[in-house]
Amino acid sequence: MLPLPTAQNTPVTNPSASRVSVVVIGYNDAAHVADAVRSALAQGPVVHEVIAVDDCSTDGSADVLTSLAAADRRVRVIRRETNSGGCGTPRNDGIDAAAAPYVMFLDSDDVLPSGAADALLAASLRHDAEVASGLCVRRELPSGREVPWQPELYTKARLVARPELRTRLVHDTLCVNKLYRTAFLREHGIRFPEGRFIYEDFVFTARVLAAAPRIALVPDTVYVWHVRRAAAKLSISLDRAGIANWQARMEAHRQSVEILRDSRGTGGKRLARAARAKFVDHGLRMYTRELTARGKEYQREWWALTRAYLATFDAADLDAAPAPGRVIARVVLASEEPRDLTRLKQVAARPARLAPPYPTASDATPVWAADLPQVTLEHLLVRPMRLLPVAVDGALRPGAGGTRLTLRLRELYGRVADAGPATVDVELVHRQSGRPGLRRTAAFGAERPGETWVATVLLDLGSLDDGVWDVRLRLHFDDGTTRDTTAHAVAGPGLLRRTVVPSRRRGVLLVQPYATQAGNLSVRLAPGVRGVAGVAKRRLTRLTRSLRGSGSR
């Protein structure tokens, strides 16, 4: 069993008050479901029962749950006679069966950290809140790297008296990092969509917000979402290779917006607009980053479906979204066929980059393209330098004397030249641990005055540990402003290929510069023969998974 993180500043509730039902759902997950159930039981006396809903598994999950129920009387097992095809129906079974005044949800391949139920229940009781919500972390396996989900919502404990007072709540569409008053769900008829419905959390969360609950937010980590990218069967959120996934996401979002818009009062309309802006900033950008990796047929279908859905948005919906997603949406709406996919992918990156060309309309207004003058970019003329989508190209050339990183900063409608490029801080960050490695600073020199500036850095990669290192940049300008960004990985002769170089520390070192899904420059390091074998094995695993995913569609 994996070690569980501990909730910070966990409040202590009355140990005699067993007030929480934890609903654990699973299908053919015998390898992980015991860890999930045990993490719920480990919450202590606050948990009245763990309702394990087995969605007609065929892999021995039922036997695992039977053993757990025999060992702890708090475990109740519900075995469905037919598979529901989704997550919503078994969760609804759990709501119906819950005997405690509060209910939580847990997926069979995830875990609750110690103290999670106590932290949520204490917040709910303190504020008389129908819902309590805390921080979820995405734990990448097998590395163990953790990334917080929507951390902006959980910087401190607070009460949200009505959802429309904090519209960012629509960004946290998860149901699993929350505790709900059972009577509240039943009184308002709040349930998950039944059957095969992907992204059922979207609709459920919209129904919760539409019922206008008091919501207590806590900064504690209350849920660990396990991300297994190398699994034989990818989770719904990771299995995006087919167009059906995008269709399901749009349908779930469409229903969510309707639910919010039709709720009582003006608050629902504010939440609906926020939900549409979130779709543009999150979902649209995420899938746009992946378009160049899809086939032509997928790209055409995705473009047509997305264009039709965005046509239902009001202009104010797009205006409410941050600039990168808004620009992508307007390009899609303005063109009947897919176009500029590589350039759009860079805009969709985080942070965003706008690659050339940089055309203008007849009145000197910046525009996306000469043949799309209706997609204007006038915000680039007034946006603070620290937020501009400046484009930096990066070329990494390993060699015996060190690895040379060449960075090329491009002009952006006169803003870069006006600010005056001065220096760049280059930092390599270990992707799995988030640990910073070496850091170097170099000065920019004008390559073509008013057009491009170049900085060159020599890196001793042999001083770094094995694994993937992301290249992060901080640009400094003469006017005192800075901009944190990444480098776009340049492809060309001798670039983005594996190279073995001598290393004083390792003997030899395998260096592989590559472009991430978003086109960012990263580098994979591995020592000697063992490193070569490990890289080859990982490539074979990815290729096998890709072929399996393509065959299933």
Side-chain angles (χ1 to χ4, degrees):
M1 180 176 174
L2 290 165
L4 303 178
T6 302
Q8 299 83 23
N9 305 318
T10 302
V12 177
T13 60
N14 182 352
S16 64
S18 298
R19 303 189 181 190
V20 180
S21 295
V22 181
V23 177
V24 181
I25 65 166
Y27 170 66
N28 282 354
D29 199 16
H32 305 117
V33 67
D35 284 349
V37 171
R38 288 178 184 134
S39 75
L41 293 172
Q43 300 299 305
V46 68
V47 171
H48 173 73
E49 61 184 353
V50 177
I51 303 171
V53 184
D54 177 39
D55 203 3
C56 198
S57 297
T58 58
D59 69 340
S61 293
D63 293 336
V64 173
L65 294 176
T66 298
S67 297
L68 290 168
D72 194 312
R73 61 179 179 80
R74 290 182 296 168
V75 179
R76 296 171 54 197
V77 180
I78 298 175
R79 178 166 171 79
R80 292 185 51 79
E81 295 182 357
T82 58
N83 178 259
S84 69
C87 297
T89 298
R91 289 201 188 115
N92 288 337
D93 292 342
I95 294 173
D96 293 338
Y102 295 88
V103 63
M104 297 174 64
F105 301 106
L106 172 62
D107 290 348
S108 61
D109 53 350
D110 300 330
V111 291
L112 297 178
S114 176
D118 260 326
L120 292 172
L121 178 60
S124 179
L125 295 175
R126 182 182 306 119
H127 297 292
D128 189 27
E130 291 88 357
V131 179
S133 185
L135 182 67
C136 166
V137 295
R138 290 167 54 99
R139 178 188 281 168
E140 297 275 350
L141 296 177
S143 71
R145 176 180 178 239
E146 293 186 351
V147 179
W149 171 259
Q150 300 297 330
E152 299 85 355
L153 280 171
Y154 303 106
T155 55
K156 63 180 181 180
R158 69 180 77 196
L159 173 68
V160 181
R162 299 190 310 278
E164 66 268 23
L165 298 179
R166 190 159 179 80
T167 57
R168 191 172 180 87
L169 288 168
V170 301
H171 286 245
D172 187 0
T173 52
L174 300 180
C175 72
V176 288
N177 59 331
K178 301 173 179 67
L179 174 139
Y180 307 89
R181 189 177 292 168
T182 310
F184 165 75
L185 297 181
R186 291 172 177 168
E187 289 168 6
H188 291 274
I190 298 172
R191 299 173 70 80
F192 292 88
E194 294 278 351
R196 176 69 178 172
F197 192 101
I198 303 176
Y199 300 111
E200 74 292 334
D201 283 28
F202 289 18
V203 175
F204 180 83
T205 299
R207 289 170 176 167
V208 169
L209 296 177
R214 290 164 60 88
I215 302 175
L217 305 179
V218 300
D220 305 65
T221 299
V222 300
Y223 197 85
V224 180
W225 175 359
H226 285 154
V227 180
R228 296 179 171 89
R229 299 186 189 276
K233 180 176 175 56
L234 293 174
S235 67
I236 289 172
S237 61
L238 296 179
D239 189 8
R240 298 194 293 269
I243 196 66
N245 183 281
W246 180 235
Q247 291 174 300
R249 191 180 191 97
M250 287 193 296
E251 176 58 22
H253 182 263
R254 184 193 65 78
Q255 291 191 28
S256 301
V257 169
E258 286 187 358
I259 290 166
L260 293 170
R261 190 176 54 214
D262 294 342
S263 59
R264 295 180 180 178
T266 58
K269 293 181 174 60
R270 291 184 60 194
L271 291 170
R273 175 147 292 158
R276 280 186 157 175
K278 182 254 184 181
F279 174 86
V280 170
D281 184 51
H282 180 69
L284 181 64
R285 289 178 72 175
M286 178 168 59
Y287 284 73
T288 298
R289 289 195 294 269
E290 300 171 351
L291 276 179
T292 57
R294 310 298 187 206
K296 295 295 185 182
E297 182 180 352
Y298 177 100
Q299 292 170 0
R300 286 192 294 270
E301 192 169 2
W302 184 93
W303 195 274
L305 290 168
T306 305
R307 194 164 183 260
Y309 186 49
L310 290 174
T312 67
F313 286 36
D314 296 334
D317 296 330
L318 297 182
D319 291 341
R326 185 172 71 243
V327 169
I328 294 169
R330 287 176 173 163
V331 171
V332 172
L333 285 169
S335 177
E336 294 184 2
E337 297 293 332
R339 59 172 292 161
D340 306 332
L341 298 187
T342 299
R343 195 167 180 234
L344 287 172
K345 179 173 74 171
Q346 292 198 50
V347 173
R350 294 185 186 275
R353 294 185 298 268
L354 181 62
Y358 303 124
T360 59
S362 57
D363 61 355
T365 298
V367 295
W368 176 263
D371 60 337
L372 286 184
Q374 65 270 45
V375 182
T376 59
L377 306 175
E378 65 271 18
H379 64 280
L380 298 178
L381 301 179
V382 296
R383 202 162 170 78
M385 191 70 200
R386 63 183 176 82
L387 298 177
L388 280 180
V390 293
V392 181
D393 293 333
L396 203 64
R397 292 181 172 85
T403 297
R404 186 175 301 275
L405 172 63
T406 303
L407 299 171
R408 182 167 281 101
L409 171 64
R410 299 184 180 276
E411 181 54 276
L412 185 65
Y413 293 111
R415 296 295 307 279
V416 174
D418 287 346
T423 61
V424 55
D425 297 332
V426 179
E427 186 172 57
L428 270 64
V429 179
H430 196 265
R431 181 175 298 173
Q432 293 181 349
S433 66
R435 183 181 73 258
L438 57 82
R439 187 173 184 268
R440 297 289 185 271
T441 299
F444 277 115
E447 181 182 49
R448 288 183 291 176
E451 295 185 33
T452 56
W453 296 260
V454 175
T456 302
V457 183
L458 194 63
L459 304 172
D460 178 14
L461 299 181
S463 65
L464 300 175
D465 293 333
D466 307 345
V468 175
W469 292 83
D470 294 322
V471 178
R472 297 183 183 175
L473 310 176
R474 173 166 289 182
L475 310 176
H476 298 268
F477 297 90
D478 290 333
D479 66 358
T481 61
T482 61
R483 168 58 166 159
D484 291 332
T485 188
T486 55
H488 172 248
V490 177
L495 300 175
L496 303 185
R497 69 178 185 182
R498 295 186 296 280
T499 305
V500 177
V501 298
S503 169
R504 286 176 295 179
R505 179 185 174 196
R506 307 296 186 86
V508 292
L509 183 69
L510 179 70
V511 180
Q512 183 187 5
Y514 74 98
T516 67
Q517 183 75 62
N520 301 332
L521 178 64
S522 292
V523 59
R524 180 179 286 109
L525 304 179
V529 176
R530 180 180 299 177
V532 174
V535 170
K537 182 179 179 180
R538 286 190 292 271
R539 285 173 61 86
L540 180 61
T541 299
R542 288 196 299 271
L543 178 60
T544 302
R545 188 168 69 242
S546 176
L547 292 173
R548 185 187 300 118
S550 298
S552 67
R553 298 290 176 182

